[in-house]
Amino acid sequence: MSEQQPENKMGTMPVRRLIITMSLPMMISMLVQALYNVVDSYFVAKFSVDALNAVSIIFPIQNLMISFASGTGVGINALLSKSLGAKDFKRANEAANKGIFLNIVHTLIFVVIGLFFTKPFLHSLANQESVINYGTQYMTIICLCSVGCFAQVTFERLLQSTGKTLYCMVSQATGAIINIILDPVMIFGLGPCPKLGAAGAAIATVIGQCCAATIALIFNIKVNTEIKLSFKEIFKPNSKVIKLIYNVGVPSILMMSIGSVMTYLFNKILLTFTATAQTVFGVYFKLQSMIFMPVFGLNNGLIPVLAYNYGARNKKRIYQALKFSIVLALCIMTVGMLTFEFIPHVLLGFFKDPADPVATKAMLEIGVPALRIIAFHFPVAALCIVLGSIFQAFSKSMYSMWISLGRQLIVLIPAAWLLAQTGVLQNIWFAFLIAEGMSFVLSLIFAMRVKKNIIEKLD
């Protein structure tokens, strides 16, 4: 018989307060994380426009890395939270330890990518030697040192799964602040540090991730009493638990990895016009993360609440959590849309190179209409993100994968390619609106199916 434990706050705290308590630290930490990505590009842009372009086209690899880490984290999160809700503490410990093992394996995969696939990747997206050189420096470092990224995400997911999101926020914010401080020092060579350029930005990122991972590990050992980490248990075979993690995690990995494929193909389409369009596309992703990351933080706080109350068979709390989260996400994304509509030139101005006014003017001419067009889909995206939390919490991540596949590859890329045939660069950005409309329809259909077949059958 499992030992008795006090009821977790995810089953007792008033729902609105619980969502805020669970999500706010995650929203703040992910906002800080988005901020240091913006700051990273800000300093790189001041160093060189070619370096900014290089960092922009490396985004698919960074996104792929985060996809493996976060997707596996979703699997850990769902199994661990559901096990706690069902009072199965042995299974919760197994989920935590095997999740660490899986991300050790993922780290080795990206070391291989950094060693053997950096040059081929960059040559497929760039034709300027300076861009390829900057990109090689950046990509090699982040891949060979990917242990920081995987360890940070894993240990923070463990804290999140047991409701300790405040500690998660502290670790993420600390890593981000360290990165922000080191960026100008390493990029421009301040003090005793040599001038490292794009390589300096990568090193600053890796150091920030490793510091955040160390802090999160300490928190898990010291305060996360609901799970027990053991070096012996990490490497002890348990294919059943790994399968349960991957049942949720693999669809999530694939779903998020689709974004890497989409970004790569979209950059290929943009290159037929101009490399500046690629830079604008990369800058857009940095800027939109400032809007999307708080909603993803809300989503990350919502998933364990839904999973816990699913394990506890509490239908009422599930509905309350969903309704409140939808309203909150819509408010955030509407503010983001209005910001992109009214001050796009101000947002893009953060990434101008004072030494190259011609390149800055070209980026504004392409970027201002791009931001205004794309931003129209933000409120619809808010609904899709919250509905996606249902699929992840109830082990229906395949639904999320099909939605992501449909939006980013089946609709977005073909639509962008067809619009590119008009010869007008501005038309390409409308592909985002078309794709998000399809995503919303599918999300609604799958959510109604989950409501009928799972939620309504709970006691």
Side-chain angles (χ1 to χ4, degrees):
M1 180 180 294
S2 298
E3 60 180 292
Q4 293 297 313
Q5 293 266 357
E7 180 73 14
N8 191 283
K9 68 180 180 180
M10 289 187 280
T12 59
M13 185 181 288
V15 170
R16 291 190 178 187
R17 182 182 165 198
L18 175 63
I19 295 296
I20 295 297
T21 302
M22 291 287 291
S23 300
L24 189 59
M26 293 298 298
M27 293 166 72
I28 293 173
S29 62
M30 294 187 81
L31 187 61
V32 172
Q33 206 169 29
L35 177 62
Y36 84 70
N37 285 330
V38 171
V39 172
D40 203 41
S41 293
Y42 169 83
F43 285 117
V44 170
K46 300 301 183 238
F47 176 77
S48 164
V49 172
D50 286 346
L52 177 61
N53 189 19
V55 172
S56 297
I57 63 177
I58 292 298
F59 178 77
I61 299 299
Q62 288 183 292
N63 185 67
L64 188 64
M65 190 184 301
I66 294 170
S67 298
F68 271 78
S70 298
T72 305
V74 168
I76 299 167
N77 201 329
L79 178 58
L80 205 160
S81 296
K82 184 178 177 181
S83 299
L84 290 176
K87 305 296 185 291
D88 187 349
F89 303 107
K90 181 176 183 295
R91 177 56 53 86
N93 286 331
E94 290 174 333
N97 285 289
K98 294 305 171 288
I100 295 173
F101 169 76
L102 292 177
N103 275 318
I104 292 173
V105 175
H106 298 157
T107 298
L108 297 177
I109 291 172
F110 277 88
V111 168
V112 173
I113 290 174
L115 289 173
F116 299 106
F117 296 97
T118 296
K119 285 283 188 180
F121 174 82
L122 287 164
H123 278 286
S124 70
L125 283 178
N127 46 30
Q128 293 177 263
E129 196 61 34
S130 59
V131 173
I132 292 172
N133 288 337
Y134 287 133
T136 300
Q137 296 169 19
Y138 193 91
M139 181 172 162
T140 301
I141 291 168
I142 63 167
C143 286
L144 295 186
C145 303
S146 59
V147 62
C149 173
F150 285 106
Q152 178 185 354
V153 172
T154 303
F155 295 137
E156 287 173 352
R157 285 288 186 174
L158 296 181
L159 292 168
Q160 176 194 334
S161 296
T162 55
K164 295 174 177 61
T165 49
L166 179 61
Y167 294 101
C168 190
M169 181 190 75
V170 172
S171 67
Q172 282 191 329
T174 303
I177 292 169
I178 290 172
N179 191 353
I180 290 172
I181 293 172
L182 291 179
D183 261 337
V185 173
M186 293 190 163
I187 292 172
F188 299 109
L190 303 181
C193 183
K195 185 177 181 179
L196 299 174
I203 295 170
T205 297
V206 168
I207 292 175
Q209 290 169 341
C210 290
C211 291
T214 302
I215 293 170
L217 174 59
I218 293 170
F219 284 150
N220 273 291
I221 295 171
K222 297 293 185 181
V223 303
N224 206 356
T225 56
E226 290 173 291
I227 60 172
K228 293 179 175 63
L229 302 182
S230 166
F231 185 82
K232 180 180 178 181
E233 289 297 321
I234 289 172
F235 294 97
K236 184 178 179 180
N238 192 327
S239 59
K240 184 177 181 180
V241 172
I242 290 175
K243 182 179 179 181
L244 287 172
I245 292 173
Y246 270 153
N247 280 344
V248 177
V250 168
S252 297
I253 290 171
L254 293 175
M255 177 187 68
M256 288 183 270
S257 297
I258 288 167
S260 294
V261 179
M262 179 277 290
T263 308
Y264 176 82
L265 295 175
F266 208 94
N267 270 316
K268 293 284 284 185
I269 294 171
L270 292 175
L271 189 59
T272 61
F273 287 89
T274 169
T276 303
Q278 289 180 316
T279 304
V280 167
F281 185 49
V283 166
Y284 158 73
F285 266 102
K286 302 290 185 180
L287 291 171
Q288 64 95 25
S289 68
M290 296 292 293
I291 310 301
F292 277 71
M293 281 300 184
V295 181
F296 287 134
L298 171 63
N299 182 61
N300 287 339
L302 176 61
I303 288 172
V305 174
L306 295 178
Y308 185 96
N309 286 284
Y310 173 48
R313 304 186 66 79
N314 195 325
K315 177 169 62 177
K316 180 181 178 181
R317 287 176 67 82
I318 289 172
Y319 281 135
Q320 289 175 337
L322 283 171
K323 289 176 183 177
F324 180 66
S325 298
I326 286 172
V327 172
L328 196 54
L330 279 172
C331 291
I332 295 170
M333 290 297 236
T334 300
V335 171
M337 179 188 71
L338 294 175
T339 303
F340 273 55
E341 294 300 329
F342 288 109
I343 56 168
H345 55 287
V346 176
L347 299 176
L348 291 166
F350 288 115
F351 304 94
K352 65 183 179 181
D353 181 358
D356 195 345
V358 175
T360 299
K361 182 180 178 182
M363 186 171 72
L364 288 173
E365 288 176 350
I366 295 172
V368 168
L371 264 58
R372 284 176 170 157
I373 291 169
I374 298 173
F376 274 117
H377 85 275
F378 285 4
V380 180
L383 295 172
C384 295
I385 291 169
V386 176
L387 291 176
S389 66
I390 302 173
F391 314 139
Q392 294 172 332
F394 299 158
S395 299
K396 294 292 182 181
S397 293
M398 285 298 295
Y399 290 164
S400 295
M401 188 189 74
W402 288 119
I403 292 168
S404 185
L405 181 66
R407 178 177 68 243
Q408 300 191 74
L409 294 185
I410 297 175
V411 177
L412 178 61
I413 293 301
W417 183 83
L418 288 172
L419 291 169
Q421 305 313 303
T422 64
V424 180
L425 174 60
Q426 185 172 316
N427 291 344
I428 294 178
W429 313 117
F430 285 99
F432 284 92
L433 279 63
I434 297 169
E436 202 62 53
M438 183 282 307
S439 174
F440 176 68
V441 172
L442 279 182
S443 296
L444 200 56
I445 291 172
F446 288 141
M448 295 304 294
R449 183 178 296 179
V450 170
K451 177 179 181 292
K452 178 182 177 181
N453 297 332
I454 297 179
I455 302 177
E456 287 299 322
K457 293 183 179 180
L458 297 176
D459 296 334

